[in-house]
Amino acid sequence: MTTAFTRVDERLGEFALRPLDPDADAALLHGWVTHPKAAFWLMQDADEAQVAEEYRRIAGHPHHDAYLGLWRGSPAFLAERYDPAHVELVGLYDHQPGDVGMHFLCAPVGTPVHGFTRAVIGTVMAWLFDDPTTRRVVVEPDVRNTAVHALNAAVGFTVVGPIAKPEKDALLSVCTRAQFQAAADRAAVDPAAATRTEGAPA
């Protein structure tokens, strides 16, 4: 399947994204989204057929899509992109032109790679801002997901505030292109800072 975006991390090598195949990738995704570390993904009790059905729904949605993330050519993370004017945040925040919503999930591993999650969110953000029409990235992780709040801050997000969604209490945060670039510049000056924070599903 055609790769949609590629980024080379100086320390960890090549990351890439390709469109998700809901049926072919369902078994793989099922193991990821039902893992205990993916509790904030809210699919703990889904079976493989339900996972395939959910991602077929996303694939058919005009304002939501999903991509499989690769690290050095092997599946390693999941990324979703959505239009918050139509999905997830309708009527819940002050939408601005150029806003893009994002979710990401790293695959569970037996031995964590230092700095991997930070590299994944950096890749996902670079992918979203690779589209010149994207002005801000908007996220709404669970208020209890403190690990991902720290990750979001590390790549430039600022907190707007808590919002009540049907499935969770979320912490709305936004990141402009300039904020993301400034965070990337800081990480380039202090490479250790870029690998200090690990996180959980957003």
Side-chain angles (χ1 to χ4, degrees), residues 17 26 51 53 76-77 98 121 133 155 184 199:
L17 293 112
V51 171
E53 180 182 6
F77 62 99
I121 191 173
T133 66
V155 295

Side-chain angles (χ1 to χ4, degrees), residues 13 16 19-20 23 42 53 57 68 82 87 114 139 143 160-161 177-178:
L20 186 73
D23 295 301
L42 303 177
E53 180 182 6
R57 183 191 66 78
L68 190 72
Y82 64 89
V87 179
H114 185 60
V139 292
V143 293
V160 176
R177 187 182 297 271

Side-chain angles (χ1 to χ4, degrees), residues 20 29 32-33 41 55 66-67 69 76-80 103-105:
L20 186 73
L29 292 182
W32 295 4
V33 302
W41 205 254
Y55 283 94
Y67 287 75
F77 62 99
L78 172 65
E80 294 180 13
H103 299 139
F104 81 98
L105 174 72

